[in-house]
Amino acid sequence: LLDGNVARIYPHHHRLEYGRSYYVLIDSGVFTLPDGGEFEIQDKKQWTFTVKAEGPAADASRIVVSADGTADFTTVQGAIDFLPKGQPAPVTIFIRNGIYEEIINCVNRHQLKIIGEDREKVIIRYPNNGVFNTKIVSPDPLQNKGCHNMRAVMAVYDSSEMMVADLTLHCMGEAPAQAEALLIKGDKMIVDNVSMEGSRDALQANGRIYVRNSKIQGFGDNVLGDGAVFSQDCDFVSTYGPHLWVRNTDKNHGNVLVNCTLRTIGDVQTHIARAPDNHGIQYPYCEAVLIDCKLDGIRPEGWGRVTENPVHVRYWEYNSTDLHTGQPVDVSQRHPASRQLTMENDAQLIASYRDPAYVLEGWTPVVER
């Protein structure tokens, strides 16, 4: 990967062995120096490195990742791959401050915590997107099922009781190209104190997911998926598109935002959510509920178009205020399918939606490092 005048070279996974030494050769013409001169390495003794003697214990409950090579692994993916599929006991992967340019694919992991040292200083990034890694990977349609994970920076699939916390996930590239910062398909998943910066989408959420004190930023459709997602104290940032693309069915709740901020970058306005059909699939039970949220850059109608029969649509708000003035938002032009909740008529409903367990089907998330 090239970043200005820096070239970062990453060997393929599972190619290096513990306790072995390696050398690097670079042919002339691969790199050009700033003055136009050629750069090469042909001496096997010029650039060498040695892999540490052994890895962590097989039953380690805490694994440390550091980009400078002073810990158990230098990549997050290396630490994840070290764990057995469906590891039987809780494990924490702790990531020291640094920049990690890699794609994370986490499949069939349970009771796993991926914790950064500092949200602003642990940056996992990659220029991945749906153009580089197309969704159609096989002529057999059955083989293509669930392949969205190819385009995300971090994809978590078929996992449960996981937590991702205290780090930044950044899909590199200025133009939107369908690439989530984080994609989740699992159950009882916690995202806490994380910055998710996607290219077009930012978070794809499928399953029961609790998001707290995090930033979700993208070009539009920033949160999409069919999961029950409870977002608390979060910052939703859009460049121009809707903050939510709600796809839940009548089998579970949708997106509930409590004490969150919804804003845009620049002098643009957008919708809170939309739920048009997707390749013929309709979402007549889509649910997006805002409780005590602060808004800026939201169009007067608030909500985008809905399915043809909106009788079951839950586009609900309570106590939406202006981000800058703190005054109640003018909701007189809200979409006719939406509803304004009031404490006089909906006190019990408002209290229920403030409770994560109500939205997440009885699961009360506990955030512990």
Side-chain angles (χ1 to χ4, degrees), residues 123-145:
I123 301 173
I124 301 172
R125 67 184 189 183
Y126 206 85
N128 194 21
N129 59 56
V131 177
F132 291 157
N133 284 327
T134 177
K135 290 185 288 186
I136 305 302
V137 295
S138 168
D140 181 357
L142 294 178
Q143 297 299 315
N144 295 323
K145 190 175 182 181

Side-chain angles (χ1 to χ4, degrees), residues 28 46 67 77-78 81 105 108 114 116 156 162 183 192 234 246 254 279 293 301 307 342 344 355 361:
S28 177
Q46 185 173 348
Q77 188 66 53
D81 289 345
N105 194 36
N108 191 18
I114 301 177
V156 180
M162 276 189 58
L183 185 151
D192 185 51
C234 291
V246 188
H279 300 290
C293 289
E301 64 271 23
T307 188
T342 66
E344 180 181 3
D355 179 10
E361 301 174 43

Side-chain angles (χ1 to χ4, degrees), residues 209-214 216 229-236 244 254-262 272 288-295 316-321 341 349-360:
I209 302 169
Y210 177 69
V211 186
R212 187 182 76 166
N213 190 35
S214 295
I216 303 100
V229 187
F230 189 97
S231 299
Q232 188 170 13
D233 302 324
C234 291
D235 185 20
F236 289 78
L244 310 171
N255 286 256
V256 176
L257 282 58
V258 176
N259 194 34
C260 293
T261 297
L262 287 78
I272 298 169
V289 179
L290 271 59
I291 305 292
D292 300 326
C293 289
K294 297 174 280 293
L295 311 183
W316 294 351
E317 285 177 270
Y318 170 72
N319 190 34
S320 293
T321 58
L341 304 179
L349 194 60
I350 294 168
S352 295
Y353 275 102
R354 283 176 171 157
D355 179 10
Y358 173 77
V359 177
L360 302 174

Side-chain angles (χ1 to χ4, degrees), residues 326-341:
Q327 297 300 310
V329 169
D330 181 0
V331 296
S332 61
Q333 301 180 52
R334 282 298 196 248
H335 193 292
S338 67
R339 173 184 167 190
Q340 294 296 312
L341 304 179

